[in-house]
Amino acid sequence: VVDEGEQCDDRNTVDRDGCSSSCMVECGFECQGVWAACAAGLTQKGFFDSSCRPLYGDGLRVTGEACDDGNLLAGDGCQCHLATKTSAGRCSLERNWDCNMPVD
């Protein structure tokens, strides 16, 4: 449950998975329960299992991303696709490219 002072709660204390050990949304991620509440104008807390995923194409390479060059353009070594209702987003290295990008 997301309590007062928390932005998310993924029921673990692991950092770098989108929801930090102190229950704050980490840079480069979005957490569905949190943003759904904001979009609906709700102020009540109480979401179970915040589901956090990387923000693809934002330029921050985080856990779960092979690359993230900050755009959705093809042909530059890293192809990012935003999530849709029918498919998960992702960033992947393009064929014949070798990118050594450190995780932020």
Side-chain angles (χ1 to χ4, degrees):
V1 176
V2 178
D3 294 319
E4 191 66 37
E6 294 181 341
Q7 293 180 343
C8 56
D9 192 337
D10 58 358
R11 298 177 69 165
N12 70 56
T13 57
V14 177
D15 287 325
R16 302 181 73 92
D17 67 350
C19 185
S20 73
S21 60
S22 59
C23 295
M24 304 303 283
V25 176
E26 297 172 307
C27 289
F29 288 89
E30 65 177 345
C31 299
Q32 290 181 334
V34 176
W35 304 123
C38 293
L42 302 175
T43 57
Q44 294 179 339
K45 302 288 183 178
F47 291 98
F48 290 92
D49 299 326
S50 296
S51 176
C52 301
R53 65 181 183 197
L55 288 170
Y56 300 104
D58 67 349
L60 294 174
R61 181 176 175 232
V62 296
T63 303
E65 292 181 306
C67 57
D68 194 327
D69 59 357
N71 65 62
L72 302 176
L73 301 174
D76 63 357
C78 181
Q79 176 65 53
C80 295
H81 301 277
L82 298 178
T84 66
K85 289 183 180 181
T86 58
S87 67
R90 65 181 163 81
C91 286
S92 56
L93 290 175
E94 294 178 308
R95 177 176 242 167
N96 297 321
W97 285 83
D98 182 20
C99 301
N100 294 315
M101 298 171 58
V103 174
D104 292 331

